[in-house]
Tab-separated table of all heavy atoms in Angstrom:
chain	number	residue	atom	x	y	z
A	155	LYS	N	174.640	-65.990	49.841
A	155	LYS	CA	175.874	-66.594	50.336
A	155	LYS	C	177.042	-65.699	49.931
A	155	LYS	O	177.264	-65.466	48.736
A	155	LYS	CB	176.066	-67.997	49.755
A	155	LYS	CG	174.990	-68.990	50.178
A	155	LYS	CD	175.234	-70.354	49.560
A	155	LYS	CE	174.140	-71.341	49.976
A	155	LYS	NZ	174.348	-72.692	49.333
A	156	THR	N	177.767	-65.208	50.920
A	156	THR	CA	178.857	-64.258	50.671
A	156	THR	C	180.200	-64.883	51.033
A	156	THR	O	180.341	-65.502	52.086
A	156	THR	CB	178.645	-62.976	51.497
A	156	THR	OG1	177.384	-62.398	51.150
A	156	THR	CG2	179.744	-61.962	51.215
A	157	GLU	N	181.178	-64.715	50.150
A	157	GLU	CA	182.521	-65.240	50.378
A	157	GLU	C	183.556	-64.248	49.859
A	157	GLU	O	183.254	-63.375	49.039
A	157	GLU	CB	182.714	-66.588	49.668
A	157	GLU	CG	181.800	-67.696	50.147
A	157	GLU	CD	182.023	-68.996	49.380
A	157	GLU	OE1	182.771	-68.960	48.361
A	157	GLU	OE2	181.455	-70.032	49.775
A	158	GLN	N	184.789	-64.409	50.332
A	158	GLN	CA	185.909	-63.633	49.812
A	158	GLN	C	186.523	-64.393	48.645
A	158	GLN	O	186.440	-65.623	48.571
A	158	GLN	CB	186.959	-63.391	50.905
A	158	GLN	CG	186.429	-62.656	52.123
A	158	GLN	CD	185.825	-61.322	51.770
A	158	GLN	OE1	186.463	-60.462	51.168
A	158	GLN	NE2	184.556	-61.129	52.140
A	159	ALA	N	187.126	-63.671	47.716
A	159	ALA	CA	187.709	-64.307	46.532
A	159	ALA	C	189.051	-63.669	46.190
A	159	ALA	O	189.307	-62.505	46.516
A	159	ALA	CB	186.755	-64.185	45.344
A	160	ALA	N	189.896	-64.462	45.540
A	160	ALA	CA	191.233	-63.992	45.156
A	160	ALA	C	191.152	-63.345	43.776
A	160	ALA	O	191.571	-63.921	42.765
A	160	ALA	CB	192.218	-65.150	45.152
A	161	VAL	N	190.616	-62.129	43.742
A	161	VAL	CA	190.510	-61.359	42.500
A	161	VAL	C	190.962	-59.934	42.796
A	161	VAL	O	190.434	-59.299	43.715
A	161	VAL	CB	189.066	-61.341	41.956
A	161	VAL	CG1	189.002	-60.549	40.652
A	161	VAL	CG2	188.530	-62.757	41.758
A	162	GLY	N	191.929	-59.429	42.049
A	162	GLY	CA	192.425	-58.083	42.281
A	162	GLY	C	193.050	-57.936	43.661
A	162	GLY	O	193.605	-58.883	44.218
A	163	ASP	N	192.954	-56.742	44.242
A	163	ASP	CA	193.489	-56.505	45.580
A	163	ASP	C	192.573	-57.042	46.667
A	163	ASP	O	193.028	-57.399	47.758
A	163	ASP	CB	193.695	-54.998	45.798
A	163	ASP	CG	194.771	-54.427	44.887
A	163	ASP	OD1	195.741	-55.158	44.598
A	163	ASP	OD2	194.645	-53.279	44.455
A	164	ALA	N	191.278	-57.088	46.389
A	164	ALA	CA	190.290	-57.615	47.326
A	164	ALA	C	189.001	-57.856	46.561
A	164	ALA	O	188.680	-57.119	45.626
A	164	ALA	CB	190.049	-56.630	48.476
A	165	ALA	N	188.275	-58.910	46.939
A	165	ALA	CA	187.028	-59.201	46.224
A	165	ALA	C	186.058	-59.959	47.115
A	165	ALA	O	186.462	-60.718	47.998
A	165	ALA	CB	187.311	-60.006	44.962
A	166	THR	N	184.776	-59.746	46.857
A	166	THR	CA	183.697	-60.438	47.556
A	166	THR	C	182.747	-61.003	46.520
A	166	THR	O	182.403	-60.324	45.544
A	166	THR	CB	182.927	-59.476	48.488
A	166	THR	OG1	183.829	-58.902	49.426
A	166	THR	CG2	181.830	-60.215	49.240
A	167	THR	N	182.324	-62.257	46.726
A	167	THR	CA	181.335	-62.861	45.844
A	167	THR	C	180.027	-63.032	46.609
A	167	THR	O	180.028	-63.295	47.807
A	167	THR	CB	181.796	-64.236	45.321
A	167	THR	OG1	181.913	-65.152	46.422
A	167	THR	CG2	183.137	-64.119	44.617
A	168	VAL	N	178.919	-62.852	45.894
A	168	VAL	CA	177.597	-62.992	46.507
A	168	VAL	C	176.724	-63.855	45.601
A	168	VAL	O	176.538	-63.539	44.424
A	168	VAL	CB	176.921	-61.625	46.723
A	168	VAL	CG1	175.560	-61.816	47.397
A	168	VAL	CG2	177.797	-60.711	47.554
A	169	ARG	N	176.185	-64.938	46.161
A	169	ARG	CA	175.254	-65.791	45.429
A	169	ARG	C	173.850	-65.572	45.984
A	169	ARG	O	173.646	-65.549	47.192
A	169	ARG	CB	175.606	-67.270	45.602
A	169	ARG	CG	176.950	-67.692	45.064
A	169	ARG	CD	177.077	-69.203	45.216
A	169	ARG	NE	178.398	-69.690	44.844
A	169	ARG	CZ	178.729	-70.982	44.776
A	169	ARG	NH1	177.818	-71.893	45.085
A	169	ARG	NH2	179.943	-71.339	44.439
A	170	THR	N	172.884	-65.436	45.107
A	170	THR	CA	171.486	-65.341	45.537
A	170	THR	C	170.599	-66.109	44.571
A	170	THR	O	171.009	-66.424	43.452
A	170	THR	CB	170.993	-63.879	45.611
A	170	THR	OG1	171.065	-63.290	44.305
A	170	THR	CG2	171.833	-63.061	46.582
A	171	GLU	N	169.382	-66.410	45.032
A	171	GLU	CA	168.383	-67.066	44.206
A	171	GLU	C	167.178	-66.140	44.088
A	171	GLU	O	166.900	-65.344	44.983
A	171	GLU	CB	167.967	-68.400	44.831
A	171	GLU	CG	169.117	-69.386	44.968
A	171	GLU	CD	168.705	-70.652	45.695
A	171	GLU	OE1	167.492	-70.763	46.048
A	171	GLU	OE2	169.565	-71.517	45.930
A	172	GLU	N	166.464	-66.274	42.968
A	172	GLU	CA	165.332	-65.389	42.737
A	172	GLU	C	164.352	-66.049	41.780
A	172	GLU	O	164.748	-66.820	40.895
A	172	GLU	CB	165.827	-64.069	42.145
A	172	GLU	CG	164.799	-62.985	42.001
A	172	GLU	CD	165.413	-61.688	41.499
A	172	GLU	OE1	166.593	-61.694	41.094
A	172	GLU	OE2	164.694	-60.670	41.502
Side-chain angles (χ1 to χ4, degrees):
K155 296 180 181 178
T156 302
E157 298 179 351
Q158 301 303 304
V161 181
D163 294 326
T166 302
T167 64
V168 181
R169 297 185 186 186
T170 62
E171 299 175 2
E172 187 176 10

